[in-house]
Amino acid sequence: MPASHAARLRRRWVVASVATAAAAAAAAVAVSMSSGASASEVTLPPVHGGFDYQIGGEYTPPKGVDIVSRDRADSPADGLYNICYVNAFQVQPGERDQWPDDLLLRDRDGDLVIDTHWKEPLLDISTAKKRERVAAKVNRWIDGCADKGFDAVEPDNYDSYERSKKLLTTSHAKKFMALLSEHAHAQGLAIAQKNTAELLSDRKAAGLDFAVVEECGQYDECGEFAKAYDDHVVVVEYGEEGFAKACEGWGDRLSIVLRDEDVSTDDGADYVRETC
């Protein structure tokens, strides 16, 4: 999702912060991750660090923020833990012509399979060769994140198989994610699981290190992610009810922020940001 687009809401197709950058860095946990033939040491976001979700456009992080997520087109924030947002499983509106036609998923009638909510074509990761070709392009974006100085990458739409008209499977998604994880680790980047609670049990096979979760308070999933990732979980809520539930149950353990649905910059009329 580019900076100019609305925040990607959680899909339902199926039933005192660290005060200084130095302290935030010290709070981060280094882990040794192995993916494929290579192993890299990556740094996880600090547990219960102040968080801001800025994928709608970068701005000066508020006081108390230790972790920030920004679009790959933007730059990391100085002195913070920076997560790089990448739309890895679907095509951004306006970028369709940047992809070879045979890497866009088509149904049995030859029509593009579209995420109708966001008007994004799904990428075809149904075969090993296609996964490798799609990963080659996405991995160049991951290289860009590393070159800019981000600490981690957040590949979105892990759950695109749910919108694939049964043409993609969980196995396809996990194998593709493993390719991205291997590359991210080789670049020294941690990699996040974005939503998709149903694949938590496969997180190690997919090479995932921590989680970025939308509306786990709203959908009673925060506990599942907290257990799986030892509280290395950053949470975005878009509604007051879900935010209240997340804070009540997990506000002393997870990094939780309430944002407006457009993830506006702080000079926007609709800008909302609250913390527990």
Side-chain angles (χ1 to χ4, degrees):
M1 180 178 64
S4 60
H5 279 230
R8 189 177 313 282
L9 298 182
R10 184 74 167 106
R11 297 168 175 87
R12 286 288 153 178
W13 277 263
V14 293
V15 179
S17 302
V18 182
T20 66
V29 178
V31 296
S32 178
M33 293 299 303
S34 178
S35 183
S38 64
S40 299
E41 187 175 87
V42 300
T43 302
L44 303 184
V47 169
H48 195 224
F51 178 49
D52 199 14
Y53 206 46
Q54 296 189 5
I55 66 170
E58 65 178 85
Y59 54 89
T60 301
K63 183 179 179 180
V65 169
D66 309 305
I67 309 162
V68 66
S69 185
R70 290 178 170 175
D71 187 81
R72 64 181 174 86
D74 290 331
S75 299
D78 291 341
L80 303 183
Y81 187 95
N82 288 273
I83 304 169
C84 188
Y85 174 94
V86 174
N87 191 355
F89 289 75
Q90 298 182 180
V91 179
Q92 298 288 127
E95 294 185 0
R96 189 178 303 184
D97 61 353
Q98 298 179 22
W99 287 92
D101 190 67
D102 68 321
L103 291 183
L104 303 179
L105 187 67
R106 294 183 180 272
D107 63 21
R108 291 171 180 83
D109 295 323
D111 296 325
L112 288 175
V113 180
I114 305 287
D115 177 344
T116 56
H117 190 83
W118 299 104
K119 297 179 174 58
E120 294 179 353
L122 273 63
L123 291 164
D124 189 348
I125 55 171
S126 61
T127 70
K129 288 185 177 180
K130 287 187 174 183
R131 285 192 291 273
E132 289 173 0
R133 290 173 61 203
V134 175
K137 185 175 180 68
V138 176
N139 283 339
R140 288 196 292 272
W141 298 340
I142 291 175
D143 291 342
C145 296
D147 291 344
K148 286 184 175 183
F150 283 91
D151 301 287
V153 62
E154 172 194 343
D156 202 9
N157 290 304
Y158 192 22
D159 62 352
S160 63
Y161 59 86
E162 295 178 358
R163 300 177 289 286
S164 72
K165 300 182 179 180
K166 298 184 178 181
L167 297 172
L168 300 178
T169 67
T170 57
S171 178
H172 297 147
K174 289 180 288 187
K175 289 176 180 178
F176 180 63
M177 185 65 84
L179 294 176
L180 303 184
S181 296
E182 181 176 10
H183 191 82
H185 290 156
Q187 297 299 314
L189 299 176
I191 186 164
Q193 175 169 341
K194 181 70 172 288
N195 302 324
T196 326
E198 55 271 26
L199 297 187
L200 278 170
S201 62
D202 300 293
R203 65 194 181 279
K204 292 184 179 179
L208 296 163
D209 305 311
F210 69 102
V212 177
V213 189
E214 293 173 302
E215 301 194 299
C216 69
Q218 182 67 30
Y219 295 108
D220 297 319
E221 293 177 340
C222 297
E224 297 175 57
F225 284 94
K227 181 178 179 180
Y229 287 106
D230 296 325
D231 291 354
H232 289 282
V233 180
V234 295
V235 178
V236 188
E237 296 288 337
Y238 299 113
E240 292 285 354
E241 180 181 354
F243 177 63
K245 288 169 64 177
C247 288
E248 181 180 0
W250 304 95
D252 61 342
R253 290 175 56 179
L254 307 183
S255 303
I256 302 170
V257 67
L258 174 69
R259 289 299 330 264
D260 56 282
E261 292 181 1
D262 289 340
V263 195
S264 307
T265 55
D266 60 353
D267 57 354
D270 298 323
Y271 173 78
V272 172
R273 183 182 183 271
E274 295 181 30
T275 58
C276 299

